Amino acid sequence: MNLEAIYHRPRGNWAYAYDTATLHIRLRSKKDDLSEAILIHGDKYAWERTVSKTVMHKLPSDERFDYWQAEVRPTLRRTKYAFELRSGGEALFYEEKGFREDEPADPHKMFDFPFLNAADVHTPPAWVKEAVFYQIFPERFANGDCSNDPEGTEPWGGKPTPKNFFGGDLQGVIDHLDHLQELGVNAIYFNPLFQATTNHKYDTSDYLKVDAHFGDNELLKKLVSACHERGIRVMLDAVFNHSGKEFEPFKDVREKGKDSRYADWFHVMEWPIAVKDGFPSYETFGFEPLMPKLNTENPEVKQYLLDVAKYWIEEAGIDGWRLDVANEVDMQFWRDFRRTVKAANPDAYILGEMFHDALPWLAGDQFDAVMNYPFTDLVVDYAAKGIIGADRFASKLGELFASYPDQANAVAFNLLGSHDTERLLTLCGGSKERMKLASLLQFVFPGAPCIYYGDEVGLDGAGDPDCRKCMEWDVDKQDRELFRHFQQLIAVRKEHRALRDGTLEFMHAAENGSLLVVQRQDEQDHFLIAVNPGEEPARIELDVKQMKWQEMLGEAELDAAGGKLVLELEPCGFALLRANAAFNAFGFGVGEQL
Amino acid sequence: MNLEAIYHRPRGNWAYAYDTATLHIRLRSKKDDLSEAILIHGDKYAWERTVSKTVMHKLPSDERFDYWQAEVRPTLRRTKYAFELRSGGEALFYEEKGFREDEPADPHKMFDFPFLNAADVHTPPAWVKEAVFYQIFPERFANGDCSNDPEGTEPWGGKPTPKNFFGGDLQGVIDHLDHLQELGVNAIYFNPLFQATTNHKYDTSDYLKVDAHFGDNELLKKLVSACHERGIRVMLDAVFNHSGKEFEPFKDVREKGKDSRYADWFHVMEWPIAVKDGFPSYETFGFEPLMPKLNTENPEVKQYLLDVAKYWIEEAGIDGWRLDVANEVDMQFWRDFRRTVKAANPDAYILGEMFHDALPWLAGDQFDAVMNYPFTDLVVDYAAKGIIGADRFASKLGELFASYPDQANAVAFNLLGSHDTERLLTLCGGSKERMKLASLLQFVFPGAPCIYYGDEVGLDGAGDPDCRKCMEWDVDKQDRELFRHFQQLIAVRKEHRALRDGTLEFMHAAENGSLLVVQRQDEQDHFLIAVNPGEEPARIELDVKQMKWQEMLGEAELDAAGGKLVLELEPCGFALLRANAAFNAFGFGVGEQL
């Protein structure tokens, strides 16, 4: 047994309350080292009367490690636990005090989940699991009101530059809600809407006012209501790490220097404020002088921003906040932010922008979830660019899932492109089949998928500013076949819980190859997802118990009467198969839930 | 290189702000596997201009792993980092995205400490590092006022039982402050003082009233003032997990059942409240029906308890709260508790009772420190009972130190016995020499030592209730030699920062043997601590650069003119040596700070 590889530490992703009645306990071991892992658990004050054992099941592995999980429902809310590890004939026990050869009996030496307090449970809003998001960059989605166009607005469909304007606005969104409804999405993520000088609006000058070029506060309210009437939720972008240079307090600081009553609203390192050698003398986003970092540790600033957060929930009825540069803002602020937002709307989704390991923000006291860039990168590298193999894709995803609590994974924000990246079609080298394959993956893993506006009709684009092209509204120029693909993906995901929240297993991940087969299932459904982003055809025979399999993205029906399901995939081919319920008597031979 | 053993994960004990300017970054590797570890770090937005390398130094190892640490002071508050690992001729790099053979250059793939926000820094009060605590169990320390004795009070010095009373009170403490001052302690930890029915007072009936048998609120204020005049701080016991059965809200619940307006102040699982088969139908501490768990998730209860916490700081001027059964109370409560307490007294010490791994409570948002029971157990097993060897003692301590941020270790509450355990002398089998040796260890490691009342004059006692004997005030019956030993320990620790906060190295830890040599040093001082809890004499030659060594617990001066320091320790022998500054020209040949 490889003892250096064994890892467990209470809390975080290793021991957490999944809900107010259930604990998830995880253990890491060297890949293929253990044959079995068993959780020994009970109440420390009544050990003998409460001790029981739960066989742990395997989560997806990564390159180096296996991950084991047990779900336990302690009757008495206190849980002491230890692990029984089996490897061939060998058995070993693992408790907080270390490894031992004999079965532990003293709960005081064991790992401890002292009490399952409801207040500490990470509980994201239930609707996010069911959500399919659509990201709108408002300046480029639709121009519904020419009267509010900025000076120098260029004709719709022109070449985007860092600074030009095309007149997109909220009325344009209202006018095109039919498009979203037809597509099937049920949530919108808006890039910033508040008063700012740029076309992207990440340099807020007034947090309480919709940008005049987009409309006004009343129009935003109208838009949110119109969305709600169609069952579409609305998430706004909270740019609270920094303001823009025209934000009144910063203007005051620029004018009055350290005598400004807002001097402590920012992080000024040296007066007078200046930029030397590219480095501003005050903290900024990046080193961008136009985006001064807000001092969220100043109670006055904190209260101002919390009031903003509350205002838009109460005033416009929004359903969530996406937090820009969330990782650079202090955690004390985010804890108060969560409290404020959830008090105003317990169902609000709090989504942090994080590019790196985000566990410290996902303990239940700060964010519901983070933007799932690691997922983005993996799908892009595997499916869009074909630069990593199926085995690496599967193992890195396994590592990612094991690194967070299940409920955070289930509401992660799974995007494949955004206003900051090349568009998916471009990442796919213009290959529509590859793009379909990539988007299929987006829709079958835990986490809420998000479609970047226009991807569904075949918009392409290199990085910023090219990815911020105007939406194509000429139906003849839209790729309607791609649109139908997205419609199908959305429909099938919305209809089948197994694709959102079922158990997940990698049934096949070709070593240094491209073929991947994933299984997702729950009590109702069995799905097989097979993709081949390679340049050669791929074929696999799978042992299955179900006889009939339905292709959900097409008409084909596959027969596996002999217990063998044969899958043949062309280069860039894919399949989304559902076991036909009528013949679905036995379930799978592998991957059964414990 | 053993890759399965390499561990790092941002935050927690692995990457934390030590203060508002300094990050500590740690890495774990298989013991003796790496020859060198180097931290590569810089600002993600100006990588090329800011990247630098810091050689990591080794912390004490444990049985299986080495721990490496670098202290870095990022000029720009944002830190991306990766590790360069060297093992003989082999070199490998480790970043968030995994291992790689070539030097990483893309900060976006590295580990991230996104921003050093002052609000998130774990900052315990500075005085705790300098503190030596004295724990007083008030009913048994001194009876200074017979007029408040409970009915049936027994004569001082009688045999303690779970329920009897001897009349100890606050006036008794005031009367004996000279004793504490003579001993040299500068902080008192009081077991509960508030109105309750038992002799231990852990069943609070009124949180705002000093128990009538101990005195009254005015007397507590007087006591705190008297302590402060002598430079002694006062920490009280906050029993907020549960109340007592006579707490008015619980009395109301007992009387009115679910119609009580306090019904939601507790966790009642089934009405009417009852005890069946030993299990109360409401949550309790343990399964003790007389200690109903408080519902700290109820805002009314929370506010009540926060007001209590604030009241005693503002009213009596106390310097800290020790939190009973802190691990079973929700974290949201403790976060608000910290905020309330620190607002009332930024220098208040918040100490959680935790028997297990307490990292999740030591992130800066909840406790300053925890009661260091793992330290207790190790010193007791090694020095008092002699059931583990020096190697295990050193390796488990290494594991413990590596598991928390340095600043939490430095203010841990290092006790060797309490009202809940056998007394130290009894744990030592009655051996005073062994007890001196154990207490020496208590005074030379990070963490504030605490002496349990009476240990310093030779009180013995088995577990509760025997460890709660009356204090011995007859000087002729006190062990004054032991008292002088503690006086010396306290004085030398208070005088020399190196013993509180210097670098720590295990110079020798006999494999399955007893001899241990520890080195602590700072810019001013070099100390060697040698202990031999074994039953055979022990001898060791150490290579040192200093010529003269002074025995700080005696008169002896040791000569090491030839570069060799020879230590000979009798069974249960020990030495606390300080390099004589006059000859201290060169520093140590090993363990120099990087």
Side-chain angles (χ1 to χ4, degrees), chain B residues 132-424:
Chain B
V132 178
F133 278 89
Y134 188 86
Q135 179 185 346
I136 292 179
F137 187 86
E139 223 280 315
R140 305 295 156 75
F141 185 66
N143 188 347
D145 180 358
C146 293
S147 74
N148 62 22
D149 287 359
E151 203 179 331
T153 290
E154 298 180 24
W156 196 256
K159 186 178 165 57
T161 71
K163 296 197 170 171
N164 64 356
F165 291 86
F166 292 96
D169 52 31
L170 297 188
Q171 188 58 51
V173 179
I174 294 173
D175 296 344
H176 289 284
L177 288 177
D178 281 346
H179 175 81
L180 301 194
Q181 205 167 10
E182 189 190 354
L183 181 59
V185 298
N186 53 17
I188 299 173
Y189 154 43
F190 279 106
N191 287 101
L193 298 179
F194 309 136
Q195 190 75 48
T197 67
T198 56
N199 54 28
H200 53 70
K201 312 292 177 200
Y202 277 99
D203 61 322
T204 318
S205 49
D206 189 339
Y207 286 92
L208 293 170
K209 190 164 174 292
V210 166
D211 191 278
H213 300 312
F214 291 167
D216 58 21
N217 293 10
E218 287 308 309
L219 192 63
L220 176 57
K221 289 187 208 176
K222 190 177 152 195
L223 167 58
V224 174
S225 294
C227 287
H228 285 176
E229 277 165 28
R230 293 167 187 252
I232 295 173
R233 303 200 190 231
V234 176
M235 175 169 73
L236 302 192
D237 212 322
V239 189
F240 288 179
N241 174 67
H242 54 268
S243 72
K245 75 176 195 327
E246 299 302 324
F247 183 48
E248 283 299 335
F250 192 64
K251 273 172 73 175
D252 200 69
V253 167
R254 283 194 290 149
E255 282 161 25
K256 299 178 189 155
K258 65 182 167 188
D259 296 329
S260 163
R261 87 162 214 75
Y262 298 103
D264 197 33
W265 276 50
F266 304 92
H267 297 266
V268 179
M269 295 167 282
E270 204 184 318
W271 297 100
I273 62 171
V275 180
K276 287 180 197 161
D277 196 19
F279 290 110
S281 69
Y282 50 97
E283 299 280 2
T284 55
F285 169 68
F287 293 103
E288 176 51 64
L290 308 183
M291 294 181 174
K293 183 172 169 68
L294 286 158
N295 181 6
T296 47
E297 296 175 349
N298 176 340
E300 206 182 2
V301 177
K302 182 190 270 197
Q303 197 53 55
Y304 173 82
L305 294 172
L306 297 182
D307 288 346
V308 168
K310 196 165 108 179
Y311 176 83
W312 290 109
I313 291 174
E314 292 183 343
E315 199 64 17
I318 64 163
D319 304 285
W321 281 111
R322 178 266 190 190
L323 315 173
D324 191 55
V325 199
N327 58 347
E328 299 191 12
V329 177
D330 66 280
M331 292 180 166
Q332 300 285 20
F333 178 81
W334 291 132
R335 291 194 185 100
D336 286 329
F337 178 87
R338 182 179 188 87
R339 201 186 290 227
T340 302
V341 164
K342 297 285 181 177
N345 176 5
D347 249 2
Y349 179 42
I350 300 176
L351 173 66
E353 188 194 27
M354 294 266 161
F355 289 86
H356 49 80
D357 187 1
L359 184 66
W361 290 266
L362 293 174
D365 57 329
Q366 297 179 65
F367 308 154
D368 291 315
V370 288
M371 300 192 72
N372 205 349
Y373 293 111
F375 178 84
T376 316
D377 292 345
L378 288 170
V379 175
V380 167
D381 286 352
Y382 168 60
K385 295 183 174 174
I387 57 176
I388 62 171
D391 52 347
R392 185 165 172 86
F393 175 74
S395 69
K396 293 304 274 185
L397 266 190
E399 186 183 346
L400 180 63
F401 294 141
S403 71
Y404 295 142
D406 279 346
Q407 66 265 48
N409 288 328
V411 298
F413 190 81
N414 288 354
L415 68 166
L416 294 187
S418 75
H419 61 290
D420 282 331
T421 69
E422 285 180 73
R423 276 189 180 267
L424 184 56

Side-chain angles (χ1 to χ4, degrees), chain A residues 2-7 9-11 13-14 28 30 43-46 49-50 64-65 75-78 80 96-99 108 110 112 114-115 117-120 267 269 276-279 283-287 293 296-297 302 325 327-332 335-336 338-339 355-357 359-361 363-365 373-374 377 392 396 399 402-404, chain B residues 2-7 9-11 13-14 28 30 43-46 49-50 64-65 75-78 80 96-99 108 110 112 114-120 267 269 276-279 283-287 293 296-297 302 325 327-332 335-336 339 355-357 359-361 363-365 373-374 377 392 396 399 402-404:
Chain A
N2 184 317
L3 301 190
E4 284 80 16
I6 305 285
Y7 193 87
R9 195 162 189 191
R11 301 277 168 169
N13 54 317
W14 301 106
R28 193 190 79 173
K30 185 174 163 71
D43 186 289
K44 63 187 155 198
Y45 299 119
R49 292 173 69 172
T50 58
R64 211 162 266 118
F65 301 108
T75 45
L76 294 159
R77 299 174 75 178
R78 288 179 294 251
K80 277 280 187 180
E96 184 165 292
K97 296 290 180 192
F99 294 96
H108 294 292
M110 297 182 185
D112 202 349
F115 204 86
N117 288 294
D120 294 327
H267 297 264
M269 295 168 281
K276 288 179 196 162
D277 196 20
F279 291 110
E283 300 281 1
T284 55
F285 169 68
F287 293 102
K293 183 173 168 69
T296 47
E297 296 175 349
K302 181 189 269 197
V325 199
N327 58 348
E328 299 192 13
V329 177
D330 66 280
M331 293 179 166
Q332 300 285 20
R335 290 194 185 100
D336 285 329
R338 182 180 188 86
R339 201 187 293 229
F355 289 85
H356 49 80
D357 186 1
L359 183 67
W361 290 267
D365 56 329
Y373 293 111
D377 293 344
R392 185 166 171 85
K396 293 304 274 185
E399 186 183 343
S403 72
Y404 295 143
Chain B
N2 184 316
L3 301 189
E4 283 80 17
I6 304 285
Y7 192 87
R9 194 161 192 192
R11 301 275 167 170
N13 54 318
W14 301 105
R28 193 190 78 173
K30 185 173 162 71
D43 186 288
K44 64 187 154 199
Y45 299 118
R49 293 174 69 174
T50 58
R64 210 162 269 118
F65 301 107
T75 46
L76 294 158
R77 300 176 75 178
R78 289 180 294 253
K80 277 279 187 180
E96 184 165 292
K97 296 290 180 193
F99 294 96
H108 295 291
M110 297 184 185
D112 203 349
F115 204 88
L116 203 174
N117 288 294
D120 295 327
H267 297 266
M269 295 167 282
K276 287 180 197 161
D277 196 19
F279 290 110
E283 299 280 2
T284 55
F285 169 68
F287 293 103
K293 183 172 169 68
T296 47
E297 296 175 349
K302 182 190 270 197
V325 199
N327 58 347
E328 299 191 12
V329 177
D330 66 280
M331 292 180 166
Q332 300 285 20
R335 291 194 185 100
D336 286 329
R339 201 186 290 227
F355 289 86
H356 49 80
D357 187 1
L359 184 66
W361 290 266
D365 57 329
Y373 293 111
D377 292 345
R392 185 165 172 86
K396 293 304 274 185
E399 186 183 346
S403 71
Y404 295 142

Side-chain angles (χ1 to χ4, degrees), chain A residues 49 131 150 176 199 234 261 269 314 324 409 421 442 511 530:
Chain A
R49 292 173 69 172
H176 288 284
N199 54 27
V234 176
R261 87 161 212 76
M269 295 168 281
E314 291 182 345
D324 190 55
N409 287 328
T421 68
Q442 188 187 17
E511 208 172 323

